[in-house]
Amino acid sequence: MTSAVTTDTSARPGYGQLLRTPGALGFVLPGFAARLPFGMLTISILLLVQHTTGSYGSAGIVAAVTGISMALSAPLMGIFTDRFGQTAVLLPVVLAHSVAVTGLAALALLDAPVLVLALAAVPAGASVPQVGPMVRARWAAKLEGSPLLPTAAAFESVTDEFTFVVGPVLATALCTGVHPAAGLVTEATLTLLGGLLFAAQRASQPKTHAPSATGDKRGFALSHAGLRVLIFAFLGIGAVFGGMQVSLAAFSNEIGNPGANGLLYGVFAAGNMIAGIAMGAIAWKIGPRRRLILGYIGLTAAASVLWAANSMILLGALGLVVGLCIAPALITGYTMVEQLVPAGARTEAFTWLTGSIAFGQAVAVILAGRLTDAHGSSYGFLVPMGATALALATLLALRAKLAPRAPSRIVNASAQEAAPEREAAPTARTETASKPQAKAPADTPSVPRNRVNERGMGHRVPVTVD
């Protein structure tokens, strides 16, 4: 178990200071090794099954079953993790996942029917370990009360982004350059080794707790309306990943250069990473709710023109733009969880968002696969366009649900139990925080004097509010 750390608040919080936190690298590095396979799974299944069956539609069905199974099991895994601990959940899960994925690869190489492959995909998806949310929970426990906590949230968003874009590129290179099953074999191996190594880092694990110990009467993350809106928005982001994977692979085959798929997806990934890095260099003057909506408007606009690409150069350029637009929406959405959900339910909240991406990706793979088989790759790109437009409309209609919770309710449950006298005798700073401020932005809560304002993805600087 771990306890909160004391941090020198005179130093500006940043990534260097964050990674110097005692014990941090002990779970960050194995955590990255264990979560990278998540970005490899869908494209590895897609490329292997398409190779053995010759159909993107069949490959999309198997990949979609995997994603749907993971989406349904992820929140349950998050609840179990909060209740029983990370090691207790991870050990059986990573073992089961490695066996299930290896079995799926073997069945595909044996030319098993699509129905059999779909059934085998159920345990492969349901056993995907939720390492990303577990890493976030460790940061929250270790940095409780520290100004570095928002920096940790931003760092994890960048890591997730890196996983989402690098995993498919690695899987594509393995499947097209080594063996069609190499992507799945590597995914299973990394999951097992990284998962066991991560689970062995017991000292940094957060304390277990019952759902009622969250400090909020509504103990489950899904009971918070703002999270439900984010879940729907992340379905659109998942659809971009799924639609791009299928349609780029199909386009590469159509031009007679299957290896171009890795290059095209790499350009898309590069745009994603460039935007993620740039997010950390910007001193934001608008609240996260507006940033999310603006980012989604850009993503929807970029995804709406992919279908018109008729050359590799044009598709690469448009893919770069789509990549540049994903990071702002994705990173901002993950960061907003801290404002929308109480600390005790955040592990579950992050698993809902991860599961939403997987579900959106799965549905997009099915639809794009069928459209591509019937009409060609350009029709597959219609899936990201439609999904992002629908998600954007939902964000605009329900944006009021994304308002941050009142500051007085953002209290850690353990802190309430340890110091109940704070509620009876609030400090002057707490009293100030409860007073409304006339000039606060419309989408941000009231803030006291000398609060800290976001600077990009974790850098925070003092600001005085009149």
Side-chain angles (χ1 to χ4, degrees), residues 53-93:
T53 64
S55 169
Y56 283 103
S58 297
I61 291 174
V62 179
V65 170
T66 305
I68 293 171
S69 299
M70 187 213 126
L72 295 176
S73 68
L76 187 61
M77 198 178 299
I79 294 173
F80 285 160
T81 300
D82 283 337
R83 187 68 181 270
F84 301 109
Q86 296 185 1
T87 297
V89 173
L90 268 178
L91 291 178
V93 164

Side-chain angles (χ1 to χ4, degrees), residues 267-268 271-272 298-299 301-303 305 315-326:
V267 172
F268 166 67
N272 222 328
L299 177 60
V305 295
L315 183 56
L318 293 176
L320 177 66
V321 175
V322 173
L324 288 171
C325 294
I326 280 186

Side-chain angles (χ1 to χ4, degrees), residues 34-177:
R35 70 209 286 191
L36 177 62
F38 172 65
M40 302 175 61
L41 184 59
T42 300
I43 188 65
S44 295
I45 293 174
L46 182 69
L47 293 176
L48 174 59
V49 177
Q50 192 280 330
H51 173 80
T52 58
T53 64
S55 169
Y56 283 103
S58 297
I61 291 174
V62 179
V65 170
T66 305
I68 293 171
S69 299
M70 187 213 126
L72 295 176
S73 68
L76 187 61
M77 198 178 299
I79 294 173
F80 285 160
T81 300
D82 283 337
R83 187 68 181 270
F84 301 109
Q86 296 185 1
T87 297
V89 173
L90 268 178
L91 291 178
V93 164
V94 297
L95 291 172
H97 183 73
S98 299
V99 173
V101 169
T102 302
L104 175 60
L107 288 172
L109 292 176
L110 292 173
D111 295 323
V114 174
L115 178 60
V116 174
L117 295 178
L119 292 175
V122 173
S127 59
V128 173
Q130 298 302 307
V131 178
M134 292 181 185
V135 174
R136 291 175 184 268
R138 293 193 185 214
W139 278 122
K142 181 171 284 292
L143 299 174
E144 182 180 349
S146 167
L148 281 172
L149 189 56
T151 307
F155 177 80
E156 287 306 308
S157 295
V158 175
T159 304
D160 282 336
E161 189 74 11
F162 189 78
T163 298
F164 292 145
V165 297
V166 172
V169 174
L170 176 60
T172 298
L174 290 170
C175 291
T176 59

Side-chain angles (χ1 to χ4, degrees), residues 378-395:
S378 61
Y379 281 79
F381 287 120
L382 295 177
V383 175
M385 179 183 72
T388 52
L390 182 59
L392 174 60
T394 302
L395 276 177

Side-chain angles (χ1 to χ4, degrees), residues 201-219:
Q201 312 303 313
R202 296 175 181 268
S204 58
Q205 291 190 55
K207 295 179 180 179
T208 59
H209 56 77
S212 60
T214 60
D216 192 287
K217 292 181 179 179
R218 300 169 299 169

Side-chain angles (χ1 to χ4, degrees), residues 25 49 195 248:
L25 292 180
V49 177
L248 288 177

Side-chain angles (χ1 to χ4, degrees), residues 238-248 360-361 364-365 368 380-381 383-384:
V240 174
F241 286 116
M244 291 289 283
Q245 287 174 358
V246 173
S247 302
L248 288 177
Q361 185 176 9
V365 164
F381 287 120
V383 175

